[in-house]
Each structure stands twice: as structure tokens, then as C-alpha cells.
Amino acid sequence: MYRVQSRPLWQNAGGGPSLVLDFIANPVVPAGWTFSRASTATWFDAQRVMRTAALNVARFDHDPATGAALGLRLESAMANLIPNSAAVGGAGWRSISTLVTLNALEAPDTSITASVLAAKLAGTTAFVHTPIIAIGANNTYAVSTWMQKGSAERSVVRVYDGSVQTKIAEVFLAWSGSVPSISNTTGVKGPATITPSFAGGYRLTFSFNSALSTTCALLLYPDADNGVESTGFCDPQLETGSFPSSYFETTGAAGTRTADFMTTSDLSWLDPQNGTLVFGGTFFSVADGGMFAFSLDDNANNGIGIYKINGSGALAAYSGSSGSTPLGLIVSDGQRFKAGIAWSGAGASASASANGNKSLAVAGAQAVKPAELCLGGARNHQFASNVLVRSLTYWSRRLDDAELAGATTL
């Protein structure tokens, strides 16, 4: 539901919210808001099919395993470092003892563009690998690829250095019928995951540290047992960061998906002195940089908002100063939360709560003069986040501590 009262509720006798954004029940960009992204980007519909959104078109995503609505997807800029990810084993890729059949299986977007890889001779190590990719030493990278059951009982995905001699990371998958499980990993940073995403297809994801390597290649093995069996592969991605983002297709050189921004400068619903904002959503790549759930600011300075700190999923609140107050909640990748901040005196006094926890006074609070409200970002696009926004609600009064804790209860 999206609702803006005809006159701000801070002028009314009531106490209900004057702004309600519910991107689960009403997945649209509300009137008065601007969404921008200077590239295409992918998302999943309720039928679990991957779709491509055009420039400046918002993505209201769904769980690729269940089709359940997830909310508004906002992501920071990302480069898929794999050239020609659209054709595994095609132009630019190198094939070692492997028969490659392009356009053989259904891809997540239902196009017949997935490749089947099959070993040519028993007793040989068969694989295909990407062109050599430049990376930074001692950085974290995320790998993802979709896979489908072929005739192989085990498959393996590896990352080697640019010489294709030194292994950096690997993930073995065992197939039980058409369903894979991760049987072994080496050099993987954090857990590897395998997620169903379309008929017969699964997305494998993992991350690794590049250590001293400044180049690498992604190797896909159709038969981990050196037989003559096959596995289907499509849409691989290599990107900086600890968690894979939405897929971005490349057909030649590496390509970049630009950042998403959702903002409004129409603050007609806002009481300049008092208010409460409560956000519901999910962060991704929490081990990476700081991210904003929302920011109500003047486009240049710290305003009023909720964010996760740099390097972890710890949530904090701030009001008009460079300092912040931890909310006692550390979220993991994909973990839902609700967090809110209530203020008076134009932000000079504030309290905050997350997931129904006791409200805490926000330290160092200062008055602000907001000009814009941004979801998943702050200060006129200076920051972008990896977040799924489920809801945002504003009351034109400062909820008391008990009310705020209640409003942030999941």
C-alpha cells in the first residue's frame, strides 16, 4: 500500500502514519518518487523466471526458489568480470577435452541458451575456462553460475590463477537425481550455497580471497570423476564482494550494472519538527562496506537514518551527526529486519529500535533540515546499498519508546 494523506497528519488530531510504502502488497514506484539506474538489470517474477528490467525501471523481485515477493531490489554498481558469460564454452572460452553444445538447455529466463559440457574421453580431465581475468590481490570475489543435471553424478567448479596452474578455490557438487548438494569445498570464504531457481536449474554461489593472485580464470568441469558424463552450465558471474548480486549478462567484454537509486524530494507528508520512520527489508553483502536502509538528509550532510556499519551486519541509527548508536542487532546476508528512528526538535533528540528491541537514545543527535528521502542510499546518490526494501512507514509524531519497539517487531 502507498498512502499520502491529503494534509500532513502532524496538523491533524490523529496519530496514524502519513506515508506508507508496502512494496510487497503494492510493487510500484509511488507518485512523487524517482527511480533511476543507468543500465539494465535482472530480477525474478512470481513464476520464478528471470526477467530483464530496462534502464530506469525498478525491480520488484521474487524468491527464485518459491516465487514469493521480496520487495524493491536496490543494488550498488557491479561489474561481471567474465567476458561472454552468455555463452559458456563459446567465443573467448577455452575448452580442454570437452565437447561443448551451445544453446542446448533452458536458462533462467526460459531461453534455450544454456550449454551442455561433456567429457570427450574417459580418464582425462575435461573442463572449459573463461579468458584470463584481471583481479586485485588480497580482495574478496563472489562467483555464481547456474547448473543443470546432465549424466554426471559429480561436477566441480574451480577458480585458478591466471596461469591455470594454481588452484584458488573449488566447490564439488554431488547430484542425487536432478538435485545437487555441495559435497566438498576448498579455499572458499564462508559457505557455498546452491539454490533452485527454475525448472531443473540451480544457482551455485561462493566467494574466495584472491591472496597474491592478480589474474584468474573460472573453470567448469562437467564430470568430477573424469568419466565421459555431462553437466549443464549457464550465466556465470565473477564480481568483487563477498556475496553474489543479481546476474548481469555479458556478450563480449566484461560489463557493468550501474547502481539503483530511489528518492523523493516531495516531503509534503513530513513534519519538519517531529516524526518516526520504520524500515523493513533485507541487506546483502553485509561483510562489505557500509549500507543505508534509508536517509532523510539535505543532500550533503548526515541526516536521519538507519544503516549497517562497514564490514559487518551491525545496525546503527544516526540523527544529524557523524556519530551513531548501535541498535544491538547484527544481521546476516538475506536476514529480514525492521528498524526505526523517532525524533523531535527536528532531529535534535532521537531514539531508535530494531526488531522490537528496547528503544535506545541516539547519541549526538542534532537538528537537520532535510531536502530528500532516499531508500538504500544517502546524500544525493553519494552512497548505494545492496538491499531489498519491503516497507517504509512514517508517522508525523515521535512514537514513544514502547510504540517504537512495537512498530519494529517483525
Side-chain angles (χ1 to χ4, degrees):
M1 176 176 69
Y2 170 67
R3 181 171 75 245
V4 175
Q5 303 289 345
S6 59
R7 57 196 296 256
L9 273 177
W10 63 272
Q11 297 177 355
N12 298 343
S18 56
L19 175 69
V20 179
L21 305 182
D22 184 343
F23 294 125
I24 302 299
N26 192 25
V28 297
V29 176
W33 287 73
T34 299
F35 175 85
S36 62
R37 184 190 58 251
S39 72
T40 60
T42 58
W43 58 286
F44 282 86
D45 66 17
Q47 286 70 49
R48 303 168 56 211
V49 174
M50 188 169 70
R51 303 295 187 186
T52 298
L55 279 66
N56 298 322
V57 174
R59 296 173 290 164
F60 298 96
D61 216 347
H62 297 77
D63 187 326
T66 67
L70 298 175
L72 171 66
R73 179 172 290 277
L74 302 172
E75 294 180 299
S76 58
M78 180 282 296
N80 184 356
L81 301 176
I82 296 177
N84 196 20
S85 68
V88 170
W93 290 66
R94 186 178 180 191
S95 173
I96 307 297
S97 301
T98 302
L99 175 65
V100 178
T101 305
L102 299 175
N103 304 321
L105 295 173
E106 188 178 44
D109 63 358
T110 71
S111 65
I112 308 301
T113 53
S115 299
V116 171
L117 309 183
K120 290 181 178 180
L121 296 171
T124 61
T125 301
F127 61 92
V128 300
H129 74 72
T130 63
I132 305 305
I133 299 167
I135 58 175
N138 296 310
N139 286 340
T140 298
Y141 290 87
V143 173
S144 60
T145 185
W146 272 275
M147 304 175 67
Q148 290 189 62
K149 167 69 173 170
S151 58
E153 293 186 359
R154 294 201 311 155
S155 310
V156 62
V157 175
R158 292 186 171 118
V159 179
Y160 271 74
D161 72 352
S163 69
V164 198
Q165 299 295 317
T166 301
K167 182 172 60 183
I168 300 174
E170 68 180 0
V171 178
F172 281 85
L173 289 93
W175 295 90
S176 176
S178 62
V179 179
S181 62
I182 295 169
S183 60
N184 188 50
T185 65
T186 303
V188 172
K189 186 177 180 180
T193 63
I194 189 80
T195 306
S197 59
F198 65 107
Y202 294 80
R203 193 186 194 195
L204 169 68
T205 64
F206 64 92
S207 63
F208 67 92
N209 186 277
S210 58
L212 299 179
S213 299
T214 57
T215 57
C216 76
L218 179 67
L219 283 65
L220 307 177
Y221 296 74
D223 189 345
D225 299 312
N226 293 341
V228 291
E229 309 305 332
S230 64
T231 301
F233 290 92
C234 68
D235 298 345
Q237 187 157 282
L238 175 66
E239 60 189 290
T240 58
S242 62
F243 197 89
S245 63
S246 63
Y247 174 64
F248 186 81
E249 182 179 271
T250 65
T251 54
T256 298
R257 183 197 64 236
T258 59
D260 299 287
F261 295 103
M262 180 78 152
T263 60
T264 184
S265 56
D266 176 5
L267 304 182
S268 57
W269 42 268
L270 180 71
D271 178 350
Q273 293 297 312
N274 309 290
T276 302
L277 278 165
V278 173
F279 173 97
T282 303
F283 280 125
F284 292 92
S285 297
V286 297
D288 300 326
M291 299 183 205
F292 291 85
F294 66 85
S295 178
L296 180 65
D297 58 51
D298 65 0
N299 293 326
N301 301 294
N302 279 340
I304 295 170
I306 302 289
Y307 78 111
K308 71 149 219 75
I309 69 171
N310 187 38
S312 88
L315 300 184
Y318 61 93
S319 182
S321 72
S322 57
S324 63
T325 296
L327 299 183
L329 178 65
I330 300 176
V331 297
S332 57
D333 288 317
Q335 179 184 344
R336 280 185 59 190
F337 69 91
K338 288 183 78 174
I341 181 169
W343 67 92
S344 55
S349 175
S351 57
S353 170
N355 281 10
N357 292 331
K358 180 181 177 181
S359 296
L360 302 172
V362 176
Q366 300 176 21
V368 300
K369 295 181 179 180
E372 184 176 80
L373 175 60
C374 183
L375 294 177
R379 302 181 217 162
N380 193 28
H381 301 180
Q382 291 184 44
F383 301 92
S385 304
N386 298 312
V387 62
L388 283 163
V389 184
R390 296 177 67 89
S391 62
L392 184 76
T393 306
Y394 170 78
W395 290 260
S396 55
R397 64 183 181 91
R398 179 174 180 170
L399 299 187
D400 64 34
D401 287 350
E403 288 176 310
L404 183 57
T408 63
T409 300
L410 281 173

